[in-house]
Amino acid sequence: MVWLAGRLQSACAGLAIGLLATAAMADASGPEFYRVIEGELAEALSIRTGPSPDVPAIMRLPAQANGLMNFERDTAPNIVEWEEMTEAERSAAFDAAWRLTGYDRAVGWAPARYLAEDGPPDSFRGGGTLRSLAGSEWRVVRIGAELVESEARIAFKSDGRMGGNAGCNQVSGQYTEETEGALSLGPLATTRRGCPGPSMELESRILAALAQTKIAVATHLVLALLGEDGDVLIQFARTDHD
């Protein structure tokens, strides 16, 4: 991973790129937490639904936020890609890299150049990494960047089946957990009950997010489902945790 580059608050671009290349060759995981690098630009830093400044912001981070959880996903080039790049391309890659982070129980993408290695406290407050979804139940709290108030819930059973309420109708289907957080859902089936317009609109958004899900990022208290491009589609809060 390329997390070492996040320490470079005042180093020149050449040194930053050199450390980025060195980190890309390493197999070790990055730090458990990040902090926001102090500076004028970082004061307006937000975590977003995807690795781009052009997508909605989930949450604005305080200028000196620390304890951001590292979900060990980023958009940095791998070592093969890095070796084939020109110096200009490497510089551009360093500036453009994003990392998937968590803060205040929200999961989103932040520009890597504004993050540095940090230790506790854990400002994400989502608990440790959850290795399997089997046996867990969740309530929808956010769709994309929007907080929602809903009793829509899903549960993952130990037999590979999932089910719940999508806001109006019951939903059921199968799920498969694969390596590195990959998650396959479906085919999904729902009942045919009619509900008031807002409930049906919310349900359509929930079902669309579930249908697009390719990756799950989960801790003991928070679940985020991501699409194929890494965009954060929908987030849940654990309902069955002691």
Side-chain angles (χ1 to χ4, degrees), residues 118-192:
D118 195 24
D122 176 3
S123 297
F124 178 55
R125 301 183 296 108
T129 301
L130 188 65
R131 300 301 178 186
S132 174
L133 295 174
S136 62
E137 298 180 1
W138 308 85
R139 177 175 58 85
V140 175
V141 294
R142 193 186 300 269
I143 301 176
E146 180 185 351
L147 282 169
V148 297
E149 294 187 7
S150 173
E151 291 304 311
R153 297 167 185 260
I154 59 172
F156 297 89
K157 302 178 181 179
S158 58
D159 62 359
R161 297 193 60 79
M162 59 164 288
N165 185 292
C168 174
N169 287 280
Q170 299 297 309
V171 58
S172 61
Q174 297 179 326
Y175 75 97
T176 302
E177 294 181 274
E178 302 171 6
T179 59
E180 298 182 354
L183 178 68
S184 298
L185 300 179
L188 300 177
T190 65
T191 54
R192 300 289 184 176

Side-chain angles (χ1 to χ4, degrees), residues 5 8 10-22 82 87-88 90-92 94-95:
L8 305 176
S10 60
C12 67
L15 178 57
I17 294 169
L19 283 179
L20 183 62
T22 301
W82 182 266
E87 288 301 316
R90 291 175 179 176
S91 178
F94 170 72
D95 289 337

Side-chain angles (χ1 to χ4, degrees), residues 102-116:
Y103 186 80
D104 196 19
R105 295 192 179 176
V107 178
W109 291 90
R113 64 185 180 275
Y114 295 146
L115 302 178

